[in-house]
Amino acid sequence: MPLTFREALNGAMTASGLSMRKLAEKAGVSYEQLKKINQGKTQSTNAEDALRLAAALGVSLESFMAGEFQGKPTIAIAGKVGAGAQVPVFDAYPKGGGPQVECPPGLSPNGIVAVEVEGDSMEPVYSDGDLLFYSRNGHDSVPSDIIGHRCVCEDEDGMGWVKQVKAGDEPGLFHLISLNPGANNMWNVRLKWAAKVQLHWPADLAKKI
C-alpha cells in the first residue's frame, strides 16, 4: 500500500541520513514546503517535487512512495567547466534539475558536486566529457591549501575552469596552469572561489541517470 507523502518523506530522511534541509537542497525543492508537510500543515506536494526527491535518492517515484530506498545514491551534475573552452556559467541547470550520476564507490554523496569537462587543455589527465567531483567549503572561498592542486574554480567574470592553481604575482591573484603543453595558461587571475578536485571519472565510466 502506498505511503502518504509525509511518511515517504520521513522514510527518505531515515534511509539517506540527510536532514530535511539537506534533502531539500540535494533535490532542489522548497525546504519550507517540506517542513509544512512534515508538520501536517499541508497534506501533499506537487508531482515535480516528489520526482526530484526520488531522483536525488536514486530511486523511482513508485519506490519513493512505497518507502523503498535501496537505490544507489546519486550526485547532481551542476553543468560544464572549461578546460580550454570558455564556459560562462557552468551551473547550467536549475538546482536539482540537471542530470544525476551514480555516486562513485568510496565517495560520500553529501555535499559533493560533479561537473563535466569541456575542452582539452587538461589532457592527458582530464579529457572532454570526463566528470570531476568536488566539494566547496565556502560559496566564495579560495582556501590556501589549493595551491599546487588541480581545482574547479570560477573567475571574477563568472567563467568556470578546471586548472592547476598556483600563487599569482600579488596577493589575491592566481595562475591557472594547463596540463596540456599545447594549451594556454592564464596569469594573475582573480578568483571568486576554488575547490580541489576530489575524484576524476572518465566519461565512459560515468553512469548518468
Side-chain angles (χ1 to χ4, degrees):
M1 181 177 177
L3 305 176
T4 66
F5 186 82
R6 181 182 180 185
E7 291 170 336
L9 173 62
N10 281 285
M13 289 189 291
T14 299
S16 66
L18 297 175
S19 67
M20 187 182 300
R21 187 178 296 277
K22 290 292 186 183
L23 183 57
E25 289 176 358
K26 182 176 176 65
V29 302
S30 167
Y31 165 71
E32 294 300 327
Q33 174 70 1
L34 294 187
K35 187 166 70 171
K36 287 179 182 178
I37 292 168
N38 199 46
Q39 292 173 345
K41 294 180 179 179
T42 183
Q43 296 301 314
S44 62
T45 189
N46 61 57
E48 184 179 351
D49 283 355
L51 282 167
R52 286 175 180 242
L53 287 164
L57 295 168
V59 299
S60 67
L61 178 60
E62 290 76 16
S63 293
F64 177 83
M65 292 306 300
E68 299 169 353
F69 304 106
Q70 284 76 35
K72 294 182 179 180
T74 63
I75 292 174
I77 300 176
K80 295 187 177 184
V81 62
Q86 287 199 332
V87 181
V89 181
F90 58 82
D91 293 328
Y93 308 105
K95 191 154 187 170
Q100 303 271 327
V101 63
E102 282 190 11
C103 181
L107 189 68
S108 168
N110 299 330
I112 300 292
V113 179
V115 286
E116 187 175 345
V117 174
E118 183 171 318
D120 62 2
S121 71
M122 297 297 280
E123 290 274 12
V125 179
Y126 304 148
S127 300
D128 191 79
D130 288 358
L131 291 180
L132 305 178
F133 298 84
Y134 67 94
S135 177
R136 284 168 65 174
N137 295 325
H139 186 72
D140 295 309
S141 173
V142 184
S144 59
D145 65 353
I146 67 163
I147 301 300
H149 291 274
R150 300 161 193 159
C151 297
V152 174
C153 54
E154 182 180 354
D155 67 25
E156 62 182 350
D157 296 322
M159 297 286 184
W161 303 98
V162 54
K163 298 287 182 182
Q164 183 180 25
V165 178
K166 294 191 176 182
D169 295 334
E170 297 179 8
L173 299 179
F174 301 89
H175 300 325
L176 304 185
I177 307 301
S178 299
L179 300 183
N180 185 339
N184 293 328
N185 297 318
M186 302 166 65
W187 309 108
N188 293 313
V189 177
R190 197 173 298 277
L191 297 177
K192 290 182 179 179
W193 61 268
K196 286 189 283 189
V197 174
Q198 293 194 12
L199 182 70
H200 161 229
W201 232 9
D204 57 353
L205 292 182
K207 297 178 182 177
K208 293 183 182 179
I209 297 172

